[in-house]
Amino acid sequence: MAASNPLLDFSGLPRFDAIEPRHVAPAVDALLAAAHGAVERVATDSAPATWENVIEPLADALDHFDRAWGAVRHLNAVVSTPELREAYNGNLPRVTAFYTDLAQDLRLYQRYRALRDSAAFETFDRARKQLIENELRDFRLGGAELPDERKARFKDVQEALASLCAKFDDNVLDAINDWALYIEDEGELEGVPHDVVSEARSAARADGRPGWKLTLRMPCYLPVMQYAQRRTLRETMHRAYVTRASDLGGNPEWDNTPIIDEILKLRREAARILGYETYADVSLVPKMAKSADEVLAFLRDLAQRAKPFAQRDYAELTAFARTDLDLDRLEAWDIAFASEKLKAKRYAFSDQQVRQYFPEPKVLAGLFRVVESIYGIRIREARAPVWHPTVRFYELLDRDDTLVGQFYLDNYARAGKQGGAWMDDAINRRQSAGRVQHPVAYITCNLSAPVDGKPATFTHDEVITIFHEFGHGLHQLLTRVEVPGVSGIEGVEWDAVELPSQFMENFCWEWQVVEPMSGHVDTGTPLPRDLFDRLIAAKNFQSGLAMVRQLELALFDMLLHHAYDPDGGGEWTTPQAVLDAVRREVAVIPRPAYDRFMHSFGHVFAGGYAAGYYSYKWAEVLSADAYSLFEEHGVLSSVAGQRFRDEVLARGGSRPAIESFVAFRGRAPSIDALLRHNGMIEP
Ligand SMILES: [Zn+2]
């Protein structure tokens, strides 16, 4: 079986060169059968519960399942085809059903409880104890304690939610892939950077069309919004972008409106079945924050501090647009354009100018140098089967040359690949049958690909994105935990999971990191010091606006899952009404009435950030405060690095994040470093 189906080969890395959509269903058949068998054996075992007869056999079966299904999910996200999507969506319901059954299996739940109540439990190390406590908590949240008739309904709700969330994403992707604007008059593209125009030309040619093809994918959309002189072009692109997958989008089949309503209703119902008032209450149980009220207070405190800065930013922008750009009324499609012009005037550089200094090979070498010096590790390129010829693969070695882990790097945007940037686990570190399984990570971005035979070049923001995702990757790879379920990023509280990633972003603002990481794509000269100084001066350009935007999203998400009643009644009648209220409270930039931002807010409607979007800001407090220790010791300090590796990265989910933070920092987190890094301390 394993020989004929590459998804069932667990002897090493996933066989991406051999996996085809037709392998998916038979692999899921085989893995489900094996997993069911393991569950039955554990659940019906009459021997006293031990680590060896409860945890290990389940971990073995689930590890294979996760690795195979994880590879399918990954492929569906990065090289989606109609066949693959069908195979993925076709099997998703039974995969979800399996996990829901597992989470509700009262027999397993009792085995875990017996294990926790056994004499051996007290002798377990912290990681083992944490895993068992987490499992018991998740059983409860998965409905294990429910009476049978409610259990059945709960399971239906979970399955329906999984399909709706997948559909939400599909609609956004379809809407993006379907939309194109063909331009025949090059004058329309005035101001758009050369490499974007050149890419648009190839894209049109690939479709057998004359002229240029513009799309809603980031590497095209963003520069058009920032640089296109033609206001009508910006307006057209903006309208298409903010109405993606909505009632105002191109195709009613991809309208996410009913899906959003249904998701909110089902989440509320699931929460009620479990005995909680709102979905936010359930969502917060495994998180660092203790209650929705604590989160709302945290967000509103930050909003209050940031809003005056945001208002000042906006007043400056409108004044500049009036005097310098002849724009009496600043519209939503002018914001990026005017901001870029103001930034260029004030700091005398543009993203396009800066990106010439950040060719990909330099950036990767610079990134690797940082982590090699602070953590005492080494990274080298290696070979492995990949899913696209532009994907690269690397190994991470410790001081003594032992293998720590491996990762794939898939940097470029392309058709059939989900937008955004993310890290996902491919293989988790664990001890099994006396040997340690090395962790493997997928690091995925949507950056500009190389054009005209030159290396890809990145804007400073894009460099930050790579550092960010790499931070997640290190959390996954530098773990020392051998217990499944709490190694790497597994079992880490959602609102702490962005700590290692946002932490990494700080290095992109240090001259001793940036100088050697830069080199002009044509001449090789490093970034001039005065250009870097202007970058730094511009760092907090519009930081008030950026902060209130994030707070707007976070407040919207939390209120939607806490205060909004999806079954009617209450203060707000629709999700849009919640968003409008939040915008009145914290936003500074007016949005057009047709703005359907939430219809593509995948973090909250398709991903795991529901009632959790605040995590970005929450973790930013932690990451800024963690980085302040490096500011005290010297930013490439291996002493601080070793401590961060030992107390935070190595621990994964084996203990509460607050304990790891305090062990590293020597005190509780403080908000000061975040405000300072954002220029929000009044002198
Ligand atoms: Zn992240």
Side-chain angles (χ1 to χ4, degrees), residues 541-592:
F541 175 65
Q542 297 187 339
S543 66
L545 285 175
M547 174 91 80
V548 296
R549 172 68 175 160
Q550 285 302 305
L551 293 170
E552 172 191 329
L553 304 187
L555 264 176
F556 167 62
D557 165 48
M558 189 47 76
L559 289 173
L560 196 62
H561 291 102
H562 191 60
Y564 171 68
D565 184 350
D567 298 313
E571 194 179 343
W572 300 296
T573 50
T574 59
Q576 187 65 42
V578 181
L579 186 55
D580 293 341
V582 168
R583 282 179 173 167
R584 279 192 300 276
E585 182 182 344
V586 299
V588 165
I589 296 179
R591 307 265 162 193

Side-chain angles (χ1 to χ4, degrees), residues 159-180:
E159 281 170 38
L161 274 172
S163 296
L164 285 166
C165 292
K167 179 76 177 137
F168 183 97
D169 254 353
D170 288 348
N171 284 346
V172 176
L173 190 58
D174 285 342
I176 291 177
N177 281 340
D178 178 67
W179 194 91

Side-chain angles (χ1 to χ4, degrees), residues 421 468-469 472 497-498 501-502 609 616:
H468 176 106
E469 296 310 330
H472 285 306
V497 100
E498 294 295 330
S501 52
Q502 295 182 340
Y609 280 85
Y616 283 106

